[in-house]
Amino acid sequence: MEVFEVLRYFLGTEKEVFLCPFPAAWGREAVVVNCFSPGDTVVCLVSGERGEHWARVAEGFGLSVIRLGGYGGKPPRVEDLYLLFEAEKASSIKGVFVTHVEREEPFAVELEALGRVCRSFDVLYALDVSESFGVFPLSLDGSAVDVAVAESPLLSGNCSLLVVGERAWRARSSARCPRFALDFAELQKLSAGQELSPLCLGFLLNLRSVGKEAVWERRKFLASVFRRGAEALGFSVVHDMAAFPSVTCLRLPEGIVEDEVLLALAREGIWSGKVARKDRTIWVRHGDTLKVAEILGLLFVLGEVLSGKGQKVHISTILAGMEVDWSG
């Protein structure tokens, strides 16, 4: 079926993909109840909202959760997970829950390196790729991922994806959490009757014709356009938080209040928010487009905020000084 072929292409997997009519939060719950039992010990890599949701769901079903956080706003390190497994009680750990990219953080964890650690200690590797589906050139199979969930603006409505590999199916046979309608077998049947809207499917097919590596390079180019434009306006790009080409962290100019900028962005339907533990710093999500015009429109919104505070903003001069290679 063409829709599942294109979904597997962007996920980089030959595993079974379910298209589910509910958000990824339910998918994370499905992973917990199908693959684990009360009393099992799992590790949750937590650097934001999605990672914390993994942990809360697992605790709600009676699992013992070890939270592994990052440092300085960055995601947890692979070395920390390895050292945890090397500890005396590591043999009791049954699974690792990972979020590739958190919405409010522009960092991506190292999927392949985490997969190697999980494989070497024989634990189930569960992953959320909601923020990176259709953005990163994902390879779930190459990263040894056993089960994954995703939701994305690229999907229609309240849909999410669930990727279920052989190891996850095997775990289901002995897992003892109550499953009800979230049983993998029930979701498999439900998925067979699901379709993407023609608009969404057409968009994904067009992205596939471009190629996910080319899409990745395009997003990096557009990120450079946005970041240079923001700097030309007087915002400071927090470069040590600029690893992900769909999210940029900006430190605001003097006299500009965070909420003023966030409100202006919200009026235009742009996702943004405050960066925890960093004063006068916000994150802006700009990677849902592949069009330069929409990136420039976002810069105009930032410029209007400055103009409203009495600062002189000459967009034409700013764009001329961005020194961007527009052939990207």
Side-chain angles (χ1 to χ4, degrees), residues 13 15 23 34 43-44 51 60-61 64 68 132 143 169 180 222 237 245 273 289 291 293 314:
T13 186
K15 296 180 176 69
N34 281 274
V43 179
C44 292
F61 281 95
S64 176
L68 191 61
S132 47
S143 301
W169 277 111
F180 305 111
L222 291 176
V237 175
T289 179
K291 299 178 180 178
H314 301 286

Side-chain angles (χ1 to χ4, degrees), residues 195-227:
E195 291 285 351
L196 289 176
S197 71
L199 182 63
C200 289
L201 179 58
F203 183 72
L204 289 173
L205 289 173
N206 182 61
L207 286 185
R208 184 174 67 173
S209 69
V210 174
K212 56 187 178 183
E213 293 287 350
V215 170
W216 173 246
E217 292 302 320
R218 177 66 173 175
R219 292 195 189 281
K220 288 194 290 186
F221 164 70
L222 291 176
S224 73
V225 172
F226 175 72
R227 290 166 184 167

Side-chain angles (χ1 to χ4, degrees), residues 41-228:
T41 299
V42 295
V43 179
C44 292
L45 274 62
V46 177
S47 58
E49 178 183 334
R50 294 183 190 274
E52 180 58 30
H53 183 263
W54 276 120
R56 292 198 306 270
V57 170
E59 289 172 335
F61 281 95
L63 279 63
S64 176
V65 175
I66 301 173
R67 285 173 170 81
L68 191 61
Y71 304 91
K74 295 185 178 182
R77 298 179 302 182
V78 176
E79 295 87 347
D80 294 336
L81 181 63
Y82 182 83
L83 290 174
L84 177 61
F85 279 117
E86 284 284 291
E88 183 177 350
K89 296 182 179 180
S91 60
S92 65
I93 296 173
K94 304 296 184 183
V96 176
F97 298 152
V98 177
T99 303
H100 187 201
V101 180
E102 288 284 0
R103 179 177 298 176
E104 63 270 31
E105 298 284 359
F107 291 108
V109 300
E110 301 174 57
L111 296 185
E112 291 188 14
L114 287 170
R116 287 194 295 270
V117 173
C118 291
R119 275 292 164 268
S120 64
F121 289 94
D122 194 30
V123 299
L124 188 139
Y125 183 14
L127 180 66
D128 188 316
V129 289
S130 295
E131 296 300 316
S132 47
F133 172 76
V135 179
F136 270 81
L138 294 168
S139 177
L140 299 190
D141 290 353
S143 301
V145 174
D146 297 303
V147 60
V149 298
E151 62 185 358
S152 168
L154 302 180
L155 304 174
S156 54
N158 219 14
C159 288
S160 64
L161 304 176
L162 186 61
V163 181
V164 183
E166 181 181 349
R167 187 186 181 98
W169 277 111
R170 290 201 308 269
R172 170 182 170 273
S173 64
S174 58
R176 293 184 288 103
C177 288
R179 301 171 199 165
F180 305 111
L182 292 181
D183 187 283
F184 282 164
E186 295 300 319
L187 295 177
Q188 185 182 47
K189 296 175 186 176
L190 178 64
S191 177
Q194 300 298 313
E195 291 285 351
L196 289 176
S197 71
L199 182 63
C200 289
L201 179 58
F203 183 72
L204 289 173
L205 289 173
N206 182 61
L207 286 185
R208 184 174 67 173
S209 69
V210 174
K212 56 187 178 183
E213 293 287 350
V215 170
W216 173 246
E217 292 302 320
R218 177 66 173 175
R219 292 195 189 281
K220 288 194 290 186
F221 164 70
L222 291 176
S224 73
V225 172
F226 175 72
R227 290 166 184 167
R228 294 189 188 193

